[in-house]
């Protein structure tokens, strides 16, 4: 997109706060965690469809599964 990771992260933080209408860090973390869990499941699906037999693909899936395991321990629902 033509801008740095830092700039993209700042934009995301500003957008999320504005969209949710809150500066509550607990609420923001909860939404980010739920989005991360959903993104990890989609990434696993994408990698498997493209051939997860490679070492790199397996690594991506393993990292996603570890993240999902971590997040499911903290989340009680996926409702936003």
């Amino acid at each position: 997109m033509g801008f740095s990771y830092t700039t993209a992260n700042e934009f995301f933080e500003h957008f999320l706060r504005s969209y949710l209408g809150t500066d509550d860090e607990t609420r923001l973390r909860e939404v980010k965690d739920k989005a991360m869990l959903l993104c990890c499941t989609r990434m696993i699906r994408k990698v498997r469809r493209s051939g997860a037999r490679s070492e790199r693909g397996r690594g991506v899936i393993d990292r996603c599964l570890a993240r999902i395991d971590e997040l499911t321990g903290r989340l009680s629902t996926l409702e936003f």
Side-chain angles (χ1 to χ4, degrees), residues 15-59:
F15 171 79
L16 191 61
R17 290 172 191 278
S18 177
Y19 180 77
L20 295 174
T22 187
D23 286 326
D24 180 9
E25 293 297 329
T26 302
R27 174 72 176 136
L28 294 168
R29 178 81 264 150
E30 178 185 40
V31 170
K32 289 180 202 177
D33 285 349
K34 290 175 182 183
M36 176 65 74
L37 190 144
L38 296 172
C39 288
C40 284
T41 60
R42 293 191 73 184
M43 179 63 78
I44 290 170
R45 181 175 182 232
K46 180 180 179 182
V47 170
R48 289 188 51 89
R49 283 187 166 190
S50 67
R53 294 184 181 25
S54 72
E55 185 176 325
R56 182 174 180 217
R58 188 69 234 168

Side-chain angles (χ1 to χ4, degrees), residues 33 36-38 40-41 44 61-75:
D33 285 349
M36 176 65 74
L37 190 144
L38 296 172
C40 284
T41 60
I44 290 170
I61 289 174
D62 289 344
R63 285 189 300 278
C64 287
L65 288 172
R67 181 62 63 96
I68 289 169
D69 188 49
E70 170 197 339
L71 292 168
T72 55
R74 289 199 310 247
L75 300 172

